[in-house]
Structures are given as C-alpha cells and as structure tokens.
Amino acid sequence: MPASKAQQKAVSKYMKENYDEIKVRVKKGRKDEIKTHAEKMGESVNEFIGRAIEETMERDGE
C-alpha cells in the first residue's frame, strides 16, 4: 500500500531535519560498478560511499 500524503510529508520533514544531501557525479557506467561493489559488500550505495568517506578521513587525519 502506498504511503499517505501525511506520511510522505512526515518522512520528508524528518529527512530535512536530520540529514544533509551531497550529490555525487560519476562517469557513465561507473554507477553500475559502484552499485555492484556495494552489493557484494552487503551495503547500499549510500552506505558504501559513507564508509569510503569515513575511512579516507580517518586515514588522512593520521
């Protein structure tokens, strides 16, 4: 069953209050490669990108 308009509005408000968005552009075909890799690791693309950022920031901070 699709979400009601009230539920969609509540989710949108929650997302806006609790998350920032970053748009990432990659060359054609790379998106599928990234998605396949993330799935092999048991992650969503968002989780994979977030992990990559965290690991790089930790490494660069040393």
Side-chain angles (χ1 to χ4, degrees):
M1 170 172 31
S4 68
K5 290 202 184 265
Q7 187 177 14
Q8 291 172 352
K9 186 177 177 181
V11 169
S12 180
K13 180 181 177 202
Y14 174 83
M15 295 295 285
K16 189 177 285 190
E17 289 175 353
N18 293 284
Y19 291 92
D20 289 327
E21 288 188 38
I22 300 172
K23 188 171 193 168
V24 177
R25 295 181 192 271
V26 295
K27 290 187 178 188
K28 286 279 186 190
R30 194 76 169 131
K31 179 181 173 183
D32 290 335
E33 291 177 35
I34 293 167
K35 184 176 182 209
T36 298
H37 179 79
E39 288 172 351
K40 285 180 185 176
M41 301 303 293
E43 299 172 312
S44 68
V45 171
N46 192 64
E47 289 170 325
F48 169 65
I49 292 171
R51 181 171 60 82
I53 291 168
E54 288 297 320
E55 289 177 4
T56 302
M57 289 175 70
E58 285 178 24
R59 184 189 68 222
D60 292 349
E62 293 181 2

